[in-house]
Amino acid sequence: MTTRHPLEIAFSSGRAGSGPATWGQQAIWDAVRRLPPADAPRYNITTAAPLDPGLPLPVLLAALERLLHRHDSLHTRLLPPDDDGGPLRQVVDPEGTLGIDVRTAGERDAPAELGARLHEELAAQPFDTAAQWPIRVGLVVADDLVRHISLVLSHTAVDGSGMSRLVADLTALCLDSSPQASDELRRPSQQPLEEAGFQTSERGARRDAAARRQVLRKLRQGPPRLFPPASDPSAPFPNAVLRSPALARAVERVAAAHRVSTGSVLLAATAAMTARLAGTTEAVLNVVVNNRFLPELADAVSVVAGDGLFHLPDATGEFGEVVRRTHAAAIGTYRHAYFDRLALATEIERLTAEGVPLADRSCVFNDTRDLLPAAPDPGNDRTTLSWPVEFEPRPGLTYALDALQSPEAISLAMTANPAVLPRPAMERFLYGIEELVLTEADTGAGKPGTEAGVAPPR
């Protein structure tokens, strides 16, 4: 029989302070605030994993306590604007307690199954970021060892890259004897209050203004609409997942041949299929950029990812050439993806009210392959297409495409408005990406690239 016994980690002598929220904290807080309460948990950032052969509970609790000291974002609350309309503020608490949900497996309980149920339970709960720290931890204990861990964080505290860094740090803290891990933990990371200090400085204001100018320039150049208009969505949005071992190998070949990143190859194929299905020659994509290529944010465990606007005027040409031009265009997109998103939204509202045509921003691409793994890999060597779930309608979205990595394959997870891209069109889109890359790997990857350069970060 499973038993539940909550624990608390006492935290004290931590860094403290308060100040304005960062651009990332403000943008995510505002997005979650607009959601119906039942939808808020879908913004949570989560990960879970079995621990084999298991860890002593005191070791893991000590590592979690040290993790709180390392990353201020884990003990930061966000205070909403006051009645006078002031800014969102962050408060870093120097002390407090972190609750741990511990389940002890009975003789007939499988720790992995119990851990999956616990993870689902924790992930389904919203966060009160004004009153709670933005982290939940669930542990499954069997035979006096922790066999499964669940981490659930508010998106106001971390993004995908931040969660990946957090998992790496927790692993190193649990394996405290590793010199390499200790060296890794000594590398400085910018804390959220420090990031907010930069953003409110003169230098930060200049960077913000320059980035938003670049985005607005692209918005004026891109097509106002890619796909035919559709009424506000009412039907659920299907989610399709194409898993392809062949794509994983082909992407590497094409990237090496054209001297670009594998991310540029996938982005090029996505842009090409967007243009083809839209019946146009150009593509505009909102690309999620992790912004960790900025030196001061390289190891930040916070929410610093942003949206970069990617515009490719001729996306339907010879694919090898599309790959090379995508690489060049992506560099500019990544360089200008760190800015105040709410300030940009205000400018967009003003231009829209003035009747200025602005580019379609309804197609989203997110390369998550270096962050968290895909679902457990079935291990076969053939391409499969599945329809695992449906989501609530998302007004203003044509599609969102995520690239995920497992040990043996690349998975492309696509969620789309069925009024614009019904299921047969989604299938053509995903299989089309695979076909473009595989064909280039077989027939074009032997040709040397005409443009070399440093591959942009994913």
Side-chain angles (χ1 to χ4, degrees):
M1 178 178 178
T2 302
T3 58
R4 176 178 182 176
H5 49 101
L7 295 177
E8 287 187 342
I9 295 176
F11 173 76
S12 61
S13 303
R15 287 180 291 268
S18 65
T22 66
W23 297 334
Q25 288 171 332
Q26 176 71 68
I28 299 299
W29 182 87
D30 193 66
V32 173
R33 178 180 63 87
R34 296 173 185 270
L35 293 173
D39 287 346
R42 68 181 173 89
Y43 264 75
N44 291 343
I45 303 294
T46 73
T47 189
L51 301 180
D52 187 18
L55 281 173
L57 181 59
V59 170
L60 187 50
L61 295 179
L64 287 167
E65 196 269 339
R66 292 167 64 189
L67 199 70
L68 289 171
H69 278 96
R70 177 160 174 77
H71 299 296
D72 291 357
S73 58
L74 304 183
H75 53 102
T76 293
R77 294 175 295 113
L78 296 178
L79 302 185
D82 54 33
D83 293 337
D84 296 329
L88 180 70
R89 293 186 63 80
Q90 56 174 312
V91 176
V92 184
D93 293 327
E95 59 187 19
T97 58
L98 173 64
I100 311 292
D101 195 331
V102 181
R103 309 286 174 93
T104 299
E107 292 183 1
R108 298 183 180 181
D109 293 321
E113 294 178 4
L114 181 58
R117 292 197 300 270
L118 174 58
H119 182 67
E120 183 177 1
E121 178 183 326
L122 296 178
Q125 302 171 30
F127 282 92
D128 180 351
T129 54
Q132 299 174 312
W133 287 351
I135 177 173
R136 295 192 193 100
V137 181
L139 306 176
V140 173
V141 175
D143 300 326
D144 296 323
L145 293 175
V146 180
R147 305 289 185 172
H148 192 279
I149 183 171
S150 171
L151 295 176
V152 177
L153 279 86
S154 168
H155 199 353
T156 57
V158 297
D159 50 27
S161 293
M163 177 65 96
S164 181
R165 178 72 268 171
L166 192 71
V167 170
D169 282 358
L170 180 60
T171 301
L173 289 167
C174 289
L175 305 174
D176 193 37
S177 60
S178 166
Q180 182 178 0
S182 298
D183 290 343
E184 185 78 7
L185 287 175
R186 289 194 198 102
R187 288 161 50 183
S189 297
Q190 190 173 76
Q191 304 292 347
L193 274 177
E194 296 168 333
E195 185 186 3
F198 164 75
Q199 292 172 353
T200 54
S201 70
E202 183 178 345
R203 179 168 161 255
R206 288 198 303 270
R207 182 181 188 96
D208 174 39
R212 284 190 283 118
R213 280 197 303 270
Q214 178 74 356
V215 174
L216 288 169
R217 182 182 68 82
K218 290 183 180 180
L219 282 171
R220 290 186 174 95
Q221 292 176 342
R225 181 175 289 123
L226 290 172
F227 294 88
S231 59
D232 288 339
S234 57
F237 280 27
N239 174 250
V241 178
L242 180 96
R243 176 193 173 275
S244 175
L247 182 60
R249 298 186 290 268
V251 161
E252 297 287 349
R253 275 193 69 190
V254 175
H258 294 291
R259 301 175 187 175
V260 302
S261 71
T262 57
S264 289
V265 177
L266 290 174
L267 179 57
T270 302
M273 289 308 301
T274 299
R276 291 183 185 190
L277 266 68
T280 183
T281 60
E282 54 188 323
V284 180
L285 304 176
N286 260 343
V287 179
V288 179
V289 182
N290 69 29
N291 285 323
R292 262 63 180 192
F293 58 90
L294 299 172
E296 61 272 22
L297 299 175
D299 294 302
V301 172
S302 54
V303 52
V304 299
D307 299 328
L309 194 67
F310 173 80
H311 179 213
L312 198 63
D314 183 6
T316 56
E318 188 272 324
F319 186 61
E321 177 61 24
V322 171
V323 168
R324 294 190 290 273
R325 287 189 294 103
T326 294
H327 165 78
I331 291 177
T333 297
Y334 297 151
R335 286 175 176 169
H336 297 96
Y338 187 62
F339 55 84
D340 185 342
R341 281 178 274 178
L342 293 190
L344 178 67
T346 299
E347 292 183 84
I348 289 175
E349 288 180 7
R350 176 180 60 81
L351 293 171
T352 301
E354 294 173 357
V356 178
L358 298 176
D360 189 326
R361 303 179 300 284
S362 66
C363 302
V364 180
F365 175 81
N366 189 9
D367 188 352
T368 70
R369 290 174 298 140
D370 58 350
L371 305 181
L372 300 173
D377 202 316
N380 59 57
D381 199 43
R382 60 185 178 86
T383 297
T384 59
L385 181 69
S386 60
W387 302 86
V389 71
E390 289 186 335
F391 293 103
E392 291 297 317
R394 295 174 58 183
L397 179 74
T398 294
Y399 75 76
L401 180 68
D402 294 335
L404 305 101
Q405 185 74 60
S406 62
E408 301 296 336
I410 286 177
S411 292
L412 302 176
M414 183 181 194
T415 301
N417 182 348
V420 182
L421 291 172
R423 291 191 181 216
M426 293 173 68
E427 289 189 28
R428 291 198 301 273
F429 198 113
L430 294 173
Y431 281 116
I433 290 175
E434 182 188 46
E435 182 181 1
L436 280 170
V437 178
L438 265 61
T439 300
E440 180 65 17
D442 290 340
T443 63
K447 297 182 289 186
T450 58
E451 297 179 21
V454 178
R458 290 188 291 202

